[in-house]
Amino acid sequence: MSIPKQPAPAAAEPLLKVEGLVKHFPITKGLLRRQAGAVQAVDGLDFEVRAGETLGVVGESGCGKSTMGRLITRLLEPTAGTIAFDGRDISHLGVAGMRPMRRDIQMIFQDPYSSLNPRHTVGTIVGAPFRLQGITPEGGVKKEVQRLLELVGLNPEHYNRYPHEFSGGQRQRIGIARALALKPRLVVADEPVSALDVSIQAQVVNLLDDLQDELGLTYVIIAHDLSVIRHVSDRIAVMYLGKIVELTDRSSLYAAPLHPYTKALLSAVPVPDPRRRARRERILLTGDVPSPISPPPGCRFHTRCWKATEVCKQQEPPLTALLPGHRVACHHPEEAPTEAVREGAPA
Amino acid sequence: MTTAPTAGGAPTSFLEVRDLRIHFPTDDGLVKSVDGLSFRLEKGRTLGIVGESGSGKSVTSLGIMGLHTVGQYGRRKARISGEIWLDGKELMSADPDEVRRLRGREMAMIFQDPLSAMHPYFTVGAQIVEAYRVHHDVDKKTARTRAVELLDRVGIPQPDRRVDDYPHQFSGGMRQRAMIAMALVNNPELLIADEPTTALDVTVQAQILDLIRDLQKEFGSAVIVITHDLGVVAELADDILVMYGGRCVERGPAEQVFHAPQHPYTWGLLGSMPRIDREQTERLIPVKGSPPSLINVPDGCAFNPRCPYADLPKGGITRTERPELRPVPDAGDGRPHLTACHLPQQDRTRIWNEEIAPKL
Amino acid sequence: MFAYIVRRLIAVIVMLLVVTLVTFGIFFAIPKLTGADPAALYVGKQADPATIEGIREKLGLSDPILVQFWHFVSGIPAGRDYSGGGSSVHCDAPCFGYSFRTEQAIWPVLQDRLPVTLSLAAGACVLWLVGGVITGVVSALKRGSLWDRAAMTVALGGVSLPIYFTGLLSLAVFSYGLGWLDGEYVDFAEDPGQWFAGLILPWVTLAFLYAAMYARLTRATMLEILGEDYIRTARAKGLREPVVIGKHAMRSTMTPVLTILGMDLGALVGGAILTETTFNLPGLGQAAVKAIGDRDLPLILGVTLIAATAVVVANLVVDLLYAVIDPRVRLS
């Protein structure tokens, strides 16, 4: 490949900086329960999230995207690597050490049914962060909770209702209100809309959008749906078997993906247009994602890649910037993008 | 060809459903899961039924299979009325054991989650063999050969070995392939796929959609695909039926429904989903509110509380009178395109062309 | 799988050692703490000081508790001699202790009593399993029907009524009132007919309690299983309803039932105290009651060990059975 390597454009100090992040879940076996292997859920991630942007993380099941979300919110302890939030290393902070950080980093979960305690009222759920942190907001907890409910588009008078009295979309709003209670700077959302009906998904996507504008939030949004990811993200990381294979801004990724996996993924998305059925070219990947317990050597995608050669089986391609701000981990990236696309890519 | 007559003789279509109603009495009230649904389907064609949770789309498919009541042990029985004609036979008035004998042989079903839809304690092969032997008087060995043959056909590698695996030893995509093999083992003429790819990854979804399309060509069966995903129906369906609140709000050729949709709910669905095949839009156009409870379906048009155009027709008719399915004039190639909406045709055409289409 | 079994067996042995140590510790250390003379406890109140001193020496009661424990444990496979005070008693292997009250080794007593308890448990188990599961399945299939409500009401009664009530009631009616079935317990080898006749009432009484619990468990499990997707699939294949229920649903329903069954059986072998007492069956439970009354510490220790072994082994068997039933356990 003759694409010159260029230094990435200098950016402002990132809000979140992740280097060499690894999470292995050990598997034990045999009489003495020796460690026989590990689920290499996340295996060496490097990325940063800039203040005010939305980083979308997309990939198929087993690619480690949810584990990554739990690592950067420190619900899990990393096996190796560092996570720096606002310049401070939080990789191995204990529960006590994380408590003040919890104000700045919040998480929204996928399932609006199981992530809310059915025995607590909405007021209790949304107000819980205040109690846990020992904070009394201006005007009292109740007033603040009602303000939050209104912010996410719920009726503040429903303060005393229970989660089961709300629909799925409304419950997801409750989860969002809870996450926003302490005015976090970073919100990590793991599949925030995938459990919702289509017509409700759009409401929640728009809400997340509005809240970002209004509160200056930084998002990491994890999802398997490439259309949703494209809609919400500024930059996108594509993950495959515990690794980032491509990381770039949204328009470059969708207009000119460089990694074969990204290309295949995009071509597989069913498009709601019967006219395109006949004339679209689709790259059909064969087989399934290999097991993260024994990922293939070299490039992890080589077992399903139509471009794989000998080098792919032996050497792991590093994630390098082939174009400014466009990092790819591939020995045989797609052709250099055409002029038209380059114009489309923001500087 | 307009709305089906409620009391006619045997139809000429392969499958015809007439005024199907399935209501479940519960402690909270009567759940009107399906409330007057009619459609027809020919062999070799695919009908896509689209709707959100609680629209009645899955109950419809269970109703056709005669599976809506079995399993309702001792509870208050579902109330079902209407006609279901399959290949010249009316199923609703048929003897339940006769319908059972059609199940799996003439009509088969693929379910959403292949892991929970297969019995965890029996091998994949045993489950396919069982499906074959209910309807064919053959010995186990012959049935096993048939099972291996079908696993091979749906693309399971080393089928003679994998036939003895248990479902949990298969990956998600392979399980769905095995499920398809099980459904096709008796060469059914009607195949119902209920959210066949919802539990799968995108790349695997593409494989399964391709497989279903190929198999339909090969077997020439009639297929009903039930899904909430407009992308999936656009990939597979010749005709589309949009369900809302237990009723059909729009039905027509796929091309028409996607490119000249008539019902505001269809517009809402199209506007709600981010699309990868179009220019990036700044904002999605959501449908306000949530889907109705099937116990308290709103009076008039069920969609009226969520419809931005509910006040356009005169006299508040949208809130009092339920709109009937009516044909849309000059709709494409002669196949009927119907919609149940009180909006006058010219308003609908104008709103779609001027307000909705440009924003998609 | 092999490694798993070996690991489980090691765990069983460790578990039993711990149970023994704890029981041993309680029985042998508490008299010391309360200031009573343990040696005196072993012979009874009217013994003279010389005899007590002899017992103390025989049992090594002055040794540290771990040494005593070692003597006890090593006696199990090897047998043991109790000597001191000028006399010596031999206890054959397996030696589970020696009662100086009754001047008997413990093991023969346990050996004598265990078959009675096993007969009681096994027979009752068959009855309650058949009765409970059938009732539960029918109730589930006819949910909300008159049968279901009646069966569940009776089951509620069965669960709430104590054994001594139902037992005495059945004795009063069938044995004293009608004069049927008033035989004493005899060994199976001696007279199978009499063995059977003597056990019918205890079986039914005990089974009634458990059948009630199993009916409720089976009903709840069956209802849950009937809602599973794979039952819907079985029906969609066109299987006949009896096959759907009998093959597909039953196989899954039996899993939790077997789990509970293993534990219940284990616990019962330790002694169905109430049943044995009510019906005067010379089983382990009755022996335990008697031993407690007599403060016969070695016998209590012996019965406790048998009970603990039964529970631990039953658990192991259930876990292994699980692997047979559920391929997901077997293969991972």
Side-chain angles (χ1 to χ4, degrees):
Chain A
M1 290 293 114
S2 59
I3 297 163
K5 286 183 185 167
Q6 293 177 5
E13 183 62 20
L15 185 64
L16 183 78
K17 192 171 168 68
V18 172
E19 280 174 323
L21 188 63
V22 174
K23 179 69 187 177
H24 289 183
F25 297 98
I27 305 167
T28 55
K29 217 177 177 175
L31 198 55
L32 299 172
R33 295 197 165 275
R34 273 190 315 258
Q35 188 179 335
V39 178
Q40 302 176 17
V42 163
D43 202 25
L45 301 184
D46 297 283
F47 64 90
E48 34 193 66
V49 184
R50 300 165 199 152
E53 78 166 349
T54 300
L55 177 74
V57 179
V58 72
E60 296 182 279
S61 53
C63 73
K65 56 190 194 296
S66 286
T67 305
M68 184 280 294
R70 281 162 194 272
L71 285 169
I72 59 177
T73 46
R74 282 304 324 283
L75 297 174
L76 283 174
E77 175 91 15
T79 308
T82 56
I83 304 161
F85 180 78
D86 205 10
R88 185 170 167 215
D89 185 353
I90 61 165
S91 335
H92 298 286
L93 284 185
V95 176
M98 269 312 283
R99 190 163 295 133
M101 304 304 292
R102 294 255 174 257
R103 298 178 65 168
D104 286 331
I105 307 174
Q106 283 288 330
M107 190 147 184
I108 299 170
F109 297 94
Q110 165 174 9
D111 191 346
Y113 294 86
S114 62
S115 60
L116 303 179
N117 186 335
R119 291 195 187 81
H120 287 172
T121 63
V122 170
T124 314
I125 290 169
V126 178
F130 298 117
R131 272 186 301 283
L132 291 175
Q133 292 279 349
I135 299 170
T136 313
E138 237 176 283
V141 172
K142 183 171 177 182
K143 201 173 160 207
E144 179 64 11
V145 168
Q146 290 185 326
R147 189 188 68 80
L148 285 162
L149 290 179
E150 202 162 0
L151 182 71
V152 298
L154 292 171
N155 185 344
E157 285 162 24
H158 293 170
Y159 182 87
N160 277 321
R161 294 202 179 174
Y162 289 88
H164 69 87
E165 296 174 70
F166 294 87
S167 68
Q170 288 173 322
R171 270 184 257 204
Q172 194 54 294
R173 289 171 191 265
I174 297 170
I176 294 173
R178 173 176 59 185
L180 296 180
L182 298 170
K183 302 195 169 70
R185 293 160 69 192
L186 176 69
V187 174
V188 178
D190 189 356
E191 299 279 6
V193 300
S194 63
L196 305 175
D197 270 320
V198 186
S199 69
I200 308 297
Q201 280 192 6
Q203 296 174 0
V204 173
V205 165
N206 283 352
L207 173 67
L208 288 173
D209 226 19
D210 294 343
L211 291 171
Q212 183 166 40
D213 290 347
E214 218 164 297
L215 308 172
L217 296 171
T218 305
Y219 286 140
V220 172
I221 296 186
I222 299 164
H224 70 281
D225 186 324
L226 287 137
S227 320
V228 168
I229 280 291
R230 180 174 92 146
H231 188 87
V232 298
S233 314
D234 298 310
R235 285 190 311 136
I236 294 159
V238 181
M239 285 184 71
Y240 186 79
L241 270 182
K243 302 241 178 223
I244 292 178
V245 296
E246 185 157 6
L247 174 58
T248 184
D249 61 84
R250 146 173 92 189
S251 42
S252 327
L253 187 89
Y254 283 83
L258 295 185
H259 199 286
Y261 177 63
T262 313
K263 202 172 172 190
L265 210 52
L266 289 175
S267 83
V269 178
V271 165
D273 185 352
R275 281 180 195 167
R276 291 174 61 113
R277 196 189 316 180
R279 57 189 164 86
R280 60 195 295 217
E281 79 181 280
R282 173 185 272 166
I283 304 159
L284 261 197
L285 290 183
T286 49
D288 295 292
V289 183
S291 157
I293 297 169
S294 49
C299 172
R300 292 187 172 189
F301 185 55
H302 84 252
T303 53
R304 299 173 79 196
C305 185
W306 65 98
K307 295 177 123 184
T309 56
E310 212 42 49
V311 65
C312 304
K313 291 178 193 161
Q314 279 150 17
Q315 273 180 39
E316 190 177 316
L319 186 67
T320 46
L322 291 187
L323 291 170
H326 195 153
R327 296 201 280 165
V328 189
C330 182
H331 291 300
H332 310 292
E334 295 295 308
E335 293 305 312
T338 60
E339 286 308 308
V341 174
R342 231 176 242 175
E343 280 164 23
Chain B
M1 222 164 95
T2 55
T3 41
T6 41
T12 49
S13 310
F14 173 65
L15 172 73
E16 181 157 345
V17 172
R18 292 176 184 168
D19 199 32
L20 181 67
R21 283 165 210 269
I22 305 176
H23 297 178
F24 298 97
T26 68
D27 291 337
D28 299 325
L30 191 64
V31 179
K32 298 180 176 178
S33 292
V34 182
D35 200 24
L37 186 71
S38 305
F39 63 86
R40 53 183 70 173
L41 177 64
E42 301 302 337
K43 267 197 220 178
R45 299 196 70 83
T46 302
L47 172 72
I49 301 185
V50 184
E52 297 180 275
S53 53
S55 62
K57 57 188 195 302
S58 287
V59 177
T60 304
S61 63
L62 293 176
I64 296 172
M65 293 284 290
L67 290 174
H68 59 284
T69 43
V70 277
Q72 304 283 318
Y73 284 108
R75 271 176 282 179
R76 280 168 289 181
K77 287 264 190 306
R79 294 182 204 154
I80 180 161
S81 67
E83 295 168 45
I84 298 166
W85 291 88
L86 181 75
D87 208 7
K89 280 185 291 283
E90 208 287 302
L91 303 185
M92 211 88 97
S93 54
D95 174 45
D97 199 57
E98 195 180 328
V99 178
R100 176 191 66 75
R101 265 178 272 133
L102 292 177
R103 267 205 297 275
R105 196 181 74 217
E106 275 210 44
M107 47 185 184
M109 200 160 169
I110 305 169
F111 297 100
Q112 169 172 357
D113 181 353
L115 182 58
S116 64
M118 296 186 102
H119 202 300
Y121 296 173
F122 298 108
T123 62
V124 170
Q127 298 188 50
I128 300 177
V129 163
E130 188 183 37
Y132 192 59
R133 299 217 321 155
V134 201
H135 301 293
H136 293 84
D137 187 19
V138 295
D139 60 52
K140 281 193 174 160
K141 214 170 149 243
T142 318
R144 189 189 148 92
T145 314
R146 171 83 180 149
V148 173
E149 176 193 319
L150 267 154
L151 285 177
D152 189 35
R153 176 61 197 88
V154 298
I156 305 271
Q158 298 175 283
D160 49 338
R161 204 170 56 76
R162 300 307 301 261
V163 72
D164 292 323
D165 279 356
Y166 289 91
H168 70 273
Q169 292 168 290
F170 276 34
S171 68
M174 297 233 294
R175 274 195 289 266
Q176 194 57 293
R177 285 171 193 270
M179 191 80 214
I180 293 174
M182 189 154 84
L184 292 181
V185 74
N186 296 308
N187 289 328
E189 311 209 302
L190 172 65
L191 181 67
I192 302 179
D194 188 356
E195 302 273 11
T197 59
T198 305
L200 305 176
D201 280 320
V202 207
T203 56
V204 180
Q205 165 172 283
Q207 297 167 7
I208 297 292
L209 292 180
D210 262 29
L211 178 66
I212 294 179
R213 212 174 7 227
D214 287 356
L215 290 171
Q216 177 176 31
K217 251 181 238 157
E218 191 180 319
F219 289 80
S221 0
V223 175
I224 299 180
V225 181
I226 293 164
T227 177
H228 69 280
D229 188 332
L230 288 170
V232 169
V233 276
E235 292 279 342
L236 290 178
D238 302 305
D239 293 284
I240 287 172
L241 191 160
V242 183
M243 280 189 83
Y244 189 82
R247 292 174 67 88
C248 169
V249 295
E250 180 161 5
R251 166 155 68 91
E255 163 83 21
Q256 288 284 321
V257 173
F258 276 101
H259 290 281
Q262 297 293 322
H263 199 281
Y265 176 61
T266 317
W267 301 341
L269 284 181
L270 288 167
S272 296
M273 59 183 305
R275 293 177 65 155
I276 212 163
D277 59 327
R278 298 279 168 87
E279 282 301 303
Q280 178 87 31
T281 50
E282 220 12 74
R283 272 179 91 73
L284 300 172
I285 317 157
V287 187
K288 66 178 178 185
S290 348
S293 136
L294 290 170
I295 295 176
N296 275 317
V297 180
D299 285 336
C301 172
F303 187 58
N304 86 68
R306 304 178 72 190
C307 182
Y309 312 103
D311 291 322
L312 236 52
K314 279 192 263 329
I317 187 172
T318 53
R319 294 191 174 78
T320 52
E321 197 177 310
R322 193 140 73 174
E324 290 305 318
L325 266 182
R326 284 191 208 88
V328 177
D330 35 83
D333 62 359
R335 276 191 286 158
H337 184 186
L338 310 146
T339 188
C341 179
H342 285 303
L343 281 177
Q345 182 62 43
Q346 60 270 32
D347 284 349
R348 251 186 277 134
T349 314
R350 181 185 53 79
I351 294 171
W352 165 251
N353 285 333
E354 291 171 17
E355 293 181 25
I356 310 292
K359 284 196 212 151
L360 291 182
Chain C
M1 194 65 206
F2 177 72
Y4 173 76
I5 296 177
V6 172
R7 196 163 59 228
R8 286 299 308 260
L9 280 175
I10 293 172
V12 163
I13 291 167
V14 171
M15 187 74 188
L16 286 178
L17 277 177
V18 170
V19 170
T20 317
L21 181 60
V22 169
T23 322
F24 199 85
I26 290 171
F27 287 170
F28 286 67
I30 282 183
K32 277 192 182 164
L33 293 177
T34 53
D37 182 356
L41 281 175
Y42 280 85
V43 279
K45 285 168 194 146
Q46 322 73 343
D48 57 283
T51 320
I52 293 179
E53 210 39 54
I55 293 294
R56 195 189 312 285
E57 216 182 313
K58 282 195 178 83
L59 288 171
L61 289 178
S62 316
D63 293 336
I65 181 159
L66 280 176
V67 174
Q68 294 184 41
F69 179 64
W70 170 245
H71 283 150
F72 177 80
V73 172
S74 59
I76 295 177
R80 187 174 171 188
D81 282 310
Y82 295 94
S83 41
S87 64
S88 173
V89 178
H90 179 70
C91 171
D92 288 330
C95 178
F96 280 85
Y98 187 88
S99 166
F100 287 94
R101 288 245 166 146
T102 55
E103 312 243 306
Q104 273 180 308
I106 299 300
W107 178 245
V109 177
L110 298 178
Q111 246 181 330
D112 214 32
R113 303 237 165 190
L114 190 59
V116 182
T117 302
L118 283 179
S119 304
L120 175 65
C125 167
V126 171
L127 282 182
W128 88 57
L129 203 55
V130 172
V133 169
I134 291 179
T135 313
V137 168
V138 176
S139 281
L141 296 184
K142 297 186 179 290
R143 169 144 84 132
S145 67
L146 198 63
W147 158 277
D148 178 27
R149 281 180 217 165
M152 285 304 117
T153 310
V154 173
L156 186 64
V159 175
S160 0
L161 294 177
I163 288 273
Y164 47 81
F165 176 78
T166 44
L168 286 177
L169 192 69
S170 67
L171 273 177
V173 175
F174 294 103
S175 198
Y176 311 142
L178 297 167
W180 309 342
L181 308 166
D182 54 351
E184 287 282 297
Y185 174 84
V186 297
D187 265 358
F188 182 79
E190 219 170 281
D191 179 353
Q194 182 59 36
W195 171 82
F196 189 79
L199 279 168
I200 288 184
L201 280 186
W203 278 343
V204 171
T205 308
L206 189 56
F208 182 55
L209 168 73
Y210 281 94
M213 295 197 296
Y214 279 65
R216 290 160 66 90
L217 174 71
T218 307
R219 178 181 182 273
T221 314
M222 187 58 136
L223 281 176
E224 194 187 314
I225 300 291
L226 285 176
E228 289 285 344
D229 285 359
Y230 55 79
I231 297 299
R232 189 183 53 189
T233 308
R235 294 198 173 109
K237 288 197 242 181
L239 295 182
R240 283 167 211 280
E241 203 56 17
V243 181
V244 174
I245 304 296
K247 183 175 168 190
H248 289 251
M250 273 314 275
R251 180 101 187 246
S252 313
T253 305
M254 287 321 284
T255 315
V257 172
L258 274 179
T259 313
I260 306 288
L261 181 70
M263 300 202 203
D264 283 345
L265 272 184
L268 265 190
V269 170
I273 293 181
L274 288 175
T275 316
E276 288 177 10
T277 311
T278 307
F279 292 96
N280 195 25
L281 293 171
L284 282 173
Q286 204 191 42
V289 173
K290 200 165 159 293
I292 293 167
D294 294 348
R295 299 212 205 152
D296 192 347
L297 293 187
L299 187 54
I300 299 178
L301 181 61
V303 174
T304 309
L305 273 184
I306 293 282
T309 311
V311 170
V312 173
V313 169
N315 263 310
L316 176 65
V317 171
V318 164
D319 283 357
L320 295 180
L321 264 182
Y322 238 82
V324 174
I325 302 173
D326 189 341
R328 289 171 296 184
V329 177
R330 195 185 318 159
L331 294 152
S332 58

